[in-house]
Amino acid sequence: QVQLVESGGGLVQPGGSLRLSCAASGSIVSINAMGWYRQVPGKQRELVAKITSGGRRDYADSVKGRFIISRDNAKNTVYLQMNSLIPEDTAVYYCNADLTTSGSTGSYRYWGQGTQVTVSS
């Protein structure tokens, strides 16, 4: 069994910052890419940022220069530092991880339960 548990969401004023965390646990052998997506009601889930096991980062154009993704491989944890937040960043944020578990024959994508981020004055 694998679990991804997110934390760090909440309400913040425009211009403020939040740091999201997502810890993966279970019978994990290796983790490849980890990432963050977000979704607002009525819209498709969209990629925010992702990071490979080697540290290569990709960002959505809408968050470049404001968000930073990082990971701690020893803790199986990925972070999203969100700065200069704007109301358009309001969404449910989901983390994911492409990982291999003991007993599996390949890498599969797992998702967290989501955490609400609201940017409002």
Side-chain angles (χ1 to χ4, degrees), residues 2-18:
V2 172
Q3 279 192 315
L4 273 63
V5 179
E6 297 134 337
S7 60
L11 173 65
V12 63
Q13 292 186 340
S17 298
L18 280 176

Side-chain angles (χ1 to χ4, degrees), residues 43-62:
K43 292 190 175 181
Q44 287 190 331
R45 194 173 295 188
E46 63 175 7
L47 174 68
V48 176
K50 62 182 179 181
I51 183 169
T52 67
S53 57
R56 191 188 80 183
R57 298 167 172 84
D58 290 305
Y59 296 93
D61 288 342
S62 58

Side-chain angles (χ1 to χ4, degrees), residues 97-108:
D98 296 334
L99 56 87
T100 303
T101 59
S102 59
S104 70
T105 58
S107 177
Y108 296 92

Side-chain angles (χ1 to χ4, degrees), residues 58-119:
D58 290 305
Y59 296 93
D61 288 342
S62 58
V63 307
K64 283 180 181 177
R66 300 189 297 121
F67 291 10
I68 300 171
I69 189 170
S70 61
R71 62 190 282 175
D72 184 333
N73 292 329
K75 295 181 179 180
N76 290 340
T77 299
V78 62
Y79 306 96
L80 186 67
Q81 177 66 44
M82 304 185 293
N83 302 318
S84 302
L85 284 160
I86 59 178
E88 290 74 18
D89 293 321
T90 297
V92 177
Y93 284 70
Y94 298 89
C95 71
N96 68 22
D98 296 334
L99 56 87
T100 303
T101 59
S102 59
S104 70
T105 58
S107 177
Y108 296 92
R109 176 162 292 182
Y110 293 82
W111 292 88
Q113 79 285 355
T115 185
Q116 177 70 46
V117 171
T118 302
V119 185

